[in-house]
Amino acid sequence: SACEIKDLNDIINIDDLITAVNLILESNSILFYGSGGSSVIAMDAYHKFMRIGKKVSFDINSHFSLIKTYHLESNDVVVLISHTGESREVLECAENAKKKGCKIIGITSYLNSALAKISDVVLFSSTYDLKYYTDAMVSRLIQLVILDMIFISVSLKMGEESKKMIEKSRDAISVVKKGILK
């Protein structure tokens, strides 16, 4: 498990990472969805990208995400996260997004999974097919790292605009934070 985290260079394909960054930069909006334990990873990414002013959406409820995929347009991007890459809800979202002409960024551990096959760009959260739940937990850590790498790259490419948006986001919650500190 620890070895796997150390071997991120072997796991993450830099060209695919750059492709994902550019898809997000050029998108009109981004829909994040993850099934099971991956839903918290999707929510974390949603929160980060919202802070830099990207038009984003996320729901834990798969029905809400499926409905949203019906309203996507071809210049939207869908980021789907599934350890196995076989989650029915994730694949339904992918199929709906494909019909709308959207680009799909898939994050999964399994090279031959249905999610890997339907995605336009796939980022793998494992170097081999994992069998044990503890390895799924490691996969989730790597999913977080992958999305953080994409987020940091997008922020840097946005430059000053990103900084301004982060300041606006800080201002939006500063009233609440000041109340907590009193």
Side-chain angles (χ1 to χ4, degrees), residues 98-159:
K98 266 282 189 251
K99 286 175 195 164
K100 293 290 188 169
C102 301
K103 295 294 184 194
I104 300 164
I105 299 169
I107 302 175
T108 182
S109 294
Y110 292 84
L111 188 68
N112 295 313
S113 66
L115 178 59
K117 288 172 184 164
I118 199 170
S119 297
D120 295 286
V121 59
V122 193
L123 297 161
F124 293 101
S125 50
S126 173
T127 49
Y128 54 88
D129 288 354
L130 302 169
K131 294 176 183 69
Y132 305 105
Y133 182 73
T134 52
D135 291 330
M137 289 167 58
V138 171
S139 172
R140 266 203 301 282
L141 281 173
I142 296 168
Q143 290 169 358
L144 268 174
V145 171
I146 289 168
L147 284 159
D148 280 353
M149 289 170 79
I150 293 171
F151 171 74
I152 290 164
S153 300
V154 168
S155 294
L156 290 171
K157 285 193 173 215
M158 285 174 65

Side-chain angles (χ1 to χ4, degrees), residues 47-111:
H47 174 241
K48 285 182 173 116
F49 282 92
M50 180 177 29
R51 288 178 67 98
I52 58 170
K54 297 301 281 180
K55 188 177 169 190
V56 290
S57 65
F58 162 80
D59 285 288
I60 286 179
N61 185 313
S62 63
H63 292 187
F64 294 172
S65 289
L66 282 166
I67 291 165
K68 285 179 180 178
T69 60
Y70 267 84
H71 298 283
L72 293 170
E73 295 177 6
S74 60
N75 55 348
D76 296 324
V77 167
V78 178
V79 179
L80 298 172
I81 310 158
S82 169
H83 170 58
T84 63
E86 299 296 342
S87 160
R88 192 66 240 146
E89 297 93 342
V90 165
L91 296 175
E92 285 290 330
C93 284
E95 284 161 21
N96 291 349
K98 266 282 189 251
K99 286 175 195 164
K100 293 290 188 169
C102 301
K103 295 294 184 194
I104 300 164
I105 299 169
I107 302 175
T108 182
S109 294
Y110 292 84
L111 188 68

Side-chain angles (χ1 to χ4, degrees), residues 32 38-48 58 60 81:
F32 292 98
S38 297
S39 67
V40 293
I41 309 299
M43 183 169 61
D44 181 71
Y46 161 75
H47 174 241
K48 285 182 173 116
F58 162 80
I60 286 179
I81 310 158

